């Protein structure tokens, strides 16, 4: 199958969403001039153009897009052509109200925004297929076309009647019989037993807590229905252009898609990434998303969207200080991106996102935003030939699974303070601050090449996943797990003993007597550190080593950290500094060292192929020790042993 390398051809793709339909034609020539000056070599067209392309049912207006496609080709700029199906025209909702999604309270989501489509609507799917078919037939041989982008940020839930009918069909395929469904959903509780498939519905607003497995299956169903929509359009464009890659853009750690499953169906894995410029951990959040996306892609990936300046959807939308856009863009390249793109090219003057930045801001060509974009484009052009296609595998895997996240997030859980993304971020942050670069993996993946596997939290695990973890440790791997792991099976049925017996034996837990969640801001004292969020009353096996015990309170003297052979279990979440030290020690014992030792705070070092990226996320200049002799590809200067980086400075070092 075609991939990102078929588009990049030894250069980093640089550009973004281009919406020429928002501007008079005389602006298009100015856009092309500025694109060429900035080193833009790729634009995405048509993402939200359905009403322009099909102003009335069945009509087609491709003339304006023909002009833009020809203009891009004339100036050597490739086009990632989108199917416009994320935002149906008003006529569709007006003529076919059944195409509109319904929320869990029975309220219709109307047009006037975007993503106002029901993934289960046969009418929507038919119209989406028709516009996709005509676009692919019309532009499939156009020389500017380099890639297809299907829809945009799939994120629609639907609790409506047509979705309910499809949900029943989905459940029949999954379970076969109502007896099997009743068993999986535990419907003996609260008199919920189903005697007819017609009684089964989407988990709409309820008087009290909903059935957690019904909600879990609804999330699985939603991911699958959206995937069906993607696959239908993907298959159409593939039929017309089998030589071109196809993608759709993920939102980072969005709860509505099993992105492991989705990435298997993409030729290019792409993501949208918008860290908060005021967040002191914005770079760590970006690194987590980049590591996850690279792992889903199993190699180079595409940064489909980022902001050149402020966004418009936070409570307060801060701009990026000078240099931060460059720093975060090069961080993405360091962690595997072969495409650095933005939403959008030119900042809109009207509409809901007129205060969302563009590569060309309202300040125009002389504005700082465009001048920084222009500098970045030149630098990406300078290093592209050295970096594109390069991929580095790492020695640590962080395990993540959407189904486990969904299962653990139900309303009746033990603590609303325990938020899975927060726990995952805390563990990744500890490794990031220790200078340890990680991959991500699904618990079913082959883990044999990793020296260390960490499990921040996997509440629900299948038998196959548990056996995979046991086999990894038996073969000599080092496994470190956080609390609330292995509590339930794939149906959210609590395992006997409150944790799977195989995992209890693996970690040296004789009995898990009780869970002791902590209140917001509460901490529990341990030997050498303080624990947050959670604690557990566990009794250790005779052959397990109590690395750290709780001190004081009801759990005094009981294990907080257990070790048995090459497996370790943390019954609480250590505060950030202690977790960093602990995971660094575990990594060292497993034979994993940081990319560079002794880095100043805020400095990140990442290897990609033979290149060493050194990135300064601090607000002041720093001196970094880099043993050896290198050439900085960004400046052309030779670097031997010592490197000075300005605020938000970056060096790309080649031996």
């Amino acid at each position: 199958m075609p991939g990102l390398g078929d588009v990049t051809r030894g250069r980093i793709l640089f550009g973004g969403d281009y919406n020429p339909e928002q501007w008079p034609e005389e602006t298009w020539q100015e856009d092309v001039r500025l694109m060429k000056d900035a080193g833009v070599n790729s634009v995405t067209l048509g993402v939200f153009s359905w009403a322009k392309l099909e102003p009335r049912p069945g009509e087609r207006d491709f003339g304006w897009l023909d002009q833009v496609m020809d203009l891009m080709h004339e100036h050597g700029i490739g086009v990632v052509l989108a199917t416009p199906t994320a935002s149906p025209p008003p006529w569709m909702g007006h003529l076919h109200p059944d195409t509109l999604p319904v929320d869990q309270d029975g309220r219709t989501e109307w047009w006037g925004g975007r993503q106002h489509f029901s993934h289960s609507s046969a009418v929507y799917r038919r119209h989406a297929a028709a516009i996709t078919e005509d676009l692919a037939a019309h532009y499939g041989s156009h020389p500017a076309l380099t890639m297809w982008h299907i829809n945009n940020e799939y994120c629609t839930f639907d609790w409506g009647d047509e979705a309910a009918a499809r949900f029943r069909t989905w459940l029949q395929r999954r379970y076969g019989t109502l007896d099997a469904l009743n068993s999986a959903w535990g419907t003996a509780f609260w008199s919920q037993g189903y005697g007819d498939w017609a009684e089964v519905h989407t988990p709409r607003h309820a008087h009290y807590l909903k059935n957690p497995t019904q909600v879990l299956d609804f999330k699985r169903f939603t991911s699958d229905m959206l995937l069906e929509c993607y696959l239908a359009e993907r298959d159409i464009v593939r039929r017309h252009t089998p030589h071109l890659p196809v993608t759709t853009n993920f939102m980072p750690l969005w709860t509505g898609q099993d992105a492991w499953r989705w990435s298997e169906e993409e030729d290019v894995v792409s993501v949208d990434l918008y860290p908060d410029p005021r967040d002191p951990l914005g770079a760590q959040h970006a690194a987590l998303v980049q590591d996850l996306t690279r792992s889903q892609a199993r190699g180079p990936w595409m940064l489909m969207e980022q902001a050149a300046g402020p966004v418009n959807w936070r409570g307060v939308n801060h701009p990026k200080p000078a240099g931060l856009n460059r720093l975060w863009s090069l961080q993405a390249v360091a962690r595997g991106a072969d495409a650095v793109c933005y939403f959008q090219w030119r900042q809109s003057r009207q509409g809901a996102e007129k205060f969302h930045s563009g590569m060309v801001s309202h300040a125009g060509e002389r504005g700082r935003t465009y001048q920084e974009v222009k500098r970045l484009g030149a630098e990406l052009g300078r290093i592209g030939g050295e970096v594109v296609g390069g991929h580095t595998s790492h020695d640590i895997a962080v395990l993540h699974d959407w189904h486990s996240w969904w299962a653990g997030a139900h309303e009746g859980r033990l603590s609303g303070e325990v938020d899975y993304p927060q726990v995952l971020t805390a563990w990744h942050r500890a490794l990031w601050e220790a200078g340890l670069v990680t991959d991500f993996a699904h618990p079913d993946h082959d883990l044999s090449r990793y020296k260390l596997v960490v499990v921040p939290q996997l509440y629900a695990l299948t038998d196959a996943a548990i056996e995979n973890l046991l086999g990894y440790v038996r073969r000599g791997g080092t496994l470190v797990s956080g609390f609330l792991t292995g509590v339930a099976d794939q149906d959210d049925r609590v395992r006997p003993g409150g944790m799977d017996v195989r995992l209890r034996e693996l970690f040296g837990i004789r009995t898990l007597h009780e869970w002791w969640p902590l209140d917001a801001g509460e901490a529990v004292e341990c030997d050498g550190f303080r624990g947050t969020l959670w604690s557990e009353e566990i009794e250790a096996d005779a052959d397990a080593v109590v690395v750290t015990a709780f001190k004081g309170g009801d759990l005094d003297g009981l294990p907080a950290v257990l070790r048995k052979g090459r497996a370790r279990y943390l019954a609480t979440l250590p505060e950030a500094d202690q977790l960093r030290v602990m995971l660094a020690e575990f990594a060292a014992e497993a034979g994993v060292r940081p990319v560079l030792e002794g880095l100043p705070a805020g400095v990140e070092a990442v290897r990609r192929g033979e290149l060493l990226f050194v990135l300064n996320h601090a607000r002041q200049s720093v001196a970094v020790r880099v043993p050896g002799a290198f050439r900085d590809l960004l400046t052309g200067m030779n670097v031997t042993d010592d490197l000075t980086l300005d605020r938000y400075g970056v060096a790309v070092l080649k031996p």
Side-chain angles (χ1 to χ4, degrees):
M1 299 301 296
L4 188 55
D6 296 294
V7 184
T8 56
R9 296 179 184 141
R11 59 182 182 164
I12 295 172
L13 293 187
F14 183 58
D17 282 25
Y18 181 37
N19 300 288
E21 65 270 31
Q22 299 178 16
W23 300 91
E25 290 186 25
E26 55 266 27
T27 306
W28 301 354
Q29 294 294 334
E30 177 71 359
D31 284 333
V32 169
R33 180 184 70 81
L34 294 176
M35 288 178 187
K36 296 296 288 184
D37 284 349
V40 168
N41 55 37
S42 178
V43 295
T44 301
L45 293 175
V47 176
F48 295 116
S49 301
W50 198 343
K52 183 78 170 174
L53 295 167
E54 188 176 4
R56 282 164 293 277
E59 292 187 16
R60 298 290 183 260
D61 180 6
F62 291 163
W64 67 274
L65 187 53
D66 290 344
Q67 289 180 255
V68 178
M69 293 285 288
D70 292 345
L71 185 64
M72 294 300 109
H73 177 60
E74 179 185 343
H75 290 86
I77 299 171
V79 172
V80 179
L81 187 57
T83 62
T85 51
S87 191
W91 58 255
M92 187 180 298
H94 176 67
L95 296 175
H96 306 287
D98 54 306
T99 65
L100 298 170
V102 176
D103 71 13
Q104 59 185 319
D105 293 316
R107 297 172 300 186
T108 298
E109 296 181 3
W110 297 91
W111 61 90
R114 64 178 200 180
Q115 266 86 19
H116 49 279
F117 65 90
S118 167
H119 51 60
S120 295
S121 167
V123 174
Y124 165 77
R125 292 190 181 199
R126 185 168 65 250
H127 281 285
I131 190 67
T132 300
E133 183 76 42
D134 289 351
L135 277 172
H138 190 79
Y139 293 108
S141 60
H142 197 287
L145 181 62
T146 61
M147 188 190 310
W148 288 100
H149 171 24
I150 304 298
N151 201 280
N152 184 76
E153 293 183 339
Y154 278 101
C155 60
T156 307
F157 283 87
D158 184 18
W159 285 261
D161 289 342
E162 194 164 1
R166 284 188 180 265
F167 187 40
R168 285 188 282 272
T169 300
W170 184 92
L171 291 168
Q172 287 169 349
R173 288 198 301 265
R174 180 174 179 85
Y175 294 111
T177 67
L178 278 171
D179 285 345
L181 179 139
N182 282 316
S183 175
W185 285 13
T187 58
F189 186 78
W190 278 354
S191 184
Q192 293 179 357
Y194 293 98
D196 190 298
W197 284 105
E199 299 167 3
V200 181
H201 219 294
T202 52
R204 294 178 175 178
H205 183 83
H207 177 72
Y208 189 42
L209 303 177
K210 300 171 188 173
N211 184 307
T213 312
Q214 180 186 14
V215 174
L216 171 60
D217 273 343
F218 180 69
K219 291 177 180 178
R220 290 166 170 157
F221 158 78
T222 297
S223 179
D224 284 356
M225 288 302 100
L226 291 171
L227 183 58
E228 282 187 9
C229 292
Y230 165 76
L231 292 174
E233 295 180 37
R234 183 206 66 180
D235 291 349
I236 290 170
V237 300
R238 270 190 179 173
R239 177 162 38 81
H240 287 273
T241 56
H243 59 292
L244 295 181
V246 185
T247 189
T248 189
N249 48 337
F250 293 143
M251 292 183 293
L253 273 182
W254 185 63
T255 186
Q257 287 170 295
D258 177 1
W260 288 119
R261 172 75 182 89
W262 278 64
S263 60
E264 295 172 358
E265 303 292 350
E266 291 188 288
D267 302 319
V268 175
V269 176
S270 59
V271 73
D272 300 346
L273 182 55
Y274 294 99
D276 188 343
R278 285 288 185 94
D279 183 357
L281 294 175
Q284 183 267 319
H285 168 70
L288 184 156
V289 173
Q290 292 157 8
D291 289 345
L292 179 57
T293 308
R294 183 190 65 251
S295 300
Q296 290 164 344
R298 295 184 175 88
W301 53 277
M302 182 175 191
L303 178 56
M304 178 71 80
E305 291 184 21
Q306 62 173 334
V311 297
N312 73 316
W313 39 264
R314 294 190 174 99
V316 177
N317 295 292
H318 298 285
K320 288 183 175 179
L324 189 60
N325 174 46
R326 172 180 181 263
L327 171 65
W328 283 358
S329 296
L330 289 169
Q331 181 194 37
V333 175
R335 290 179 178 266
D338 276 359
V340 175
C341 302
Y342 296 82
F343 180 84
Q344 59 179 321
W345 163 250
R346 184 180 286 274
Q347 192 168 12
S348 299
R349 294 182 62 193
Q350 292 181 291
E353 294 186 313
K354 57 182 173 290
F355 294 118
H356 188 297
S357 58
M359 299 169 75
V360 181
S361 71
H362 291 312
E365 179 178 3
R366 296 183 180 179
R368 174 172 66 84
T369 297
Y370 175 76
Q371 292 301 317
E372 290 193 5
V373 163
K374 185 175 177 179
R375 177 191 178 188
L376 175 62
E379 291 182 324
L380 294 177
R382 204 172 298 144
I383 68 172
E386 301 279 0
V387 72
V388 164
H391 175 57
T392 299
S393 296
H394 302 284
D395 293 327
I396 302 175
V398 178
L399 298 194
H400 163 65
D401 175 39
W402 268 268
H403 296 254
S404 178
W405 176 11
W406 295 334
H410 60 77
E411 298 168 285
R413 62 189 184 274
L414 286 158
S415 172
E417 295 299 317
V418 176
D419 175 65
Y420 172 78
Q422 176 188 356
V423 175
L424 184 70
T425 296
W427 281 64
H428 185 274
R429 172 190 173 185
L431 294 162
W432 183 77
E433 290 183 339
L436 298 165
V437 184
T438 72
D439 290 342
F440 276 79
H442 186 276
D444 284 345
H445 286 172
D446 180 5
L447 305 173
S448 58
R449 63 188 178 87
Y450 295 108
K451 297 179 180 179
L452 174 66
V453 169
V454 299
V455 181
Q457 186 179 103
L458 287 174
Y459 163 83
L461 284 169
T462 64
D463 287 341
I466 292 170
E467 290 298 330
N468 194 37
L469 297 181
L470 299 178
Y472 168 75
V473 176
R474 281 196 297 266
R475 292 187 295 270
T478 298
L479 179 69
V480 183
S481 176
F483 60 85
L484 269 182
T485 290
V487 172
D489 66 11
Q490 67 273 10
D491 295 325
D492 196 12
R493 183 183 291 106
V494 175
R495 300 274 189 177
M499 182 183 191
D500 186 86
V501 63
R502 292 162 292 181
L503 292 179
R504 281 187 277 129
E505 291 174 355
L506 177 68
F507 294 121
I509 300 171
R510 175 178 297 166
T511 307
L512 197 164
H513 291 285
E514 194 55 82
W515 297 290
W516 289 73
L518 304 178
D519 289 328
E522 185 181 4
V524 60
E525 295 295 330
C526 307
D527 290 330
F529 68 86
R530 284 158 53 92
T532 66
L533 280 182
W534 194 263
S535 56
E536 292 177 346
E537 183 180 351
I538 58 179
E539 180 182 348
D541 279 343
D543 54 352
V545 176
V546 179
V547 178
T548 303
F550 292 111
K551 290 177 60 177
D554 293 293
L555 304 183
D556 184 49
L558 294 178
V561 180
L562 266 181
R563 184 181 76 231
K564 183 177 178 181
R566 304 190 70 86
R568 292 160 176 79
Y569 182 78
L570 279 61
T572 187
L573 179 67
E575 291 181 328
D577 287 345
Q578 288 89 4
L579 185 59
R580 171 179 51 80
V581 170
M582 191 178 299
L583 292 183
E585 290 176 353
F586 294 159
E589 292 172 8
V592 185
R593 309 297 303 180
V595 174
L596 288 180
E597 303 277 1
L599 286 174
V603 176
E604 175 182 17
V606 183
R607 291 196 183 277
R608 183 174 178 186
E610 67 171 347
L611 301 182
L612 173 63
F613 287 73
V614 187
L615 307 104
N616 179 25
H617 299 284
R619 288 178 170 266
Q620 66 280 336
S621 63
V622 295
V624 181
R625 183 74 174 170
V626 284
F630 302 88
R631 180 168 60 89
D632 185 353
L633 298 181
L634 297 176
T635 65
M637 302 291 291
N638 292 326
V639 175
T640 304
D641 294 332
D642 295 303
L643 172 69
T644 299
L645 292 174
D646 294 333
R647 161 181 157 151
Y648 300 149
V650 182
V652 181
L653 305 179
K654 182 177 181 179

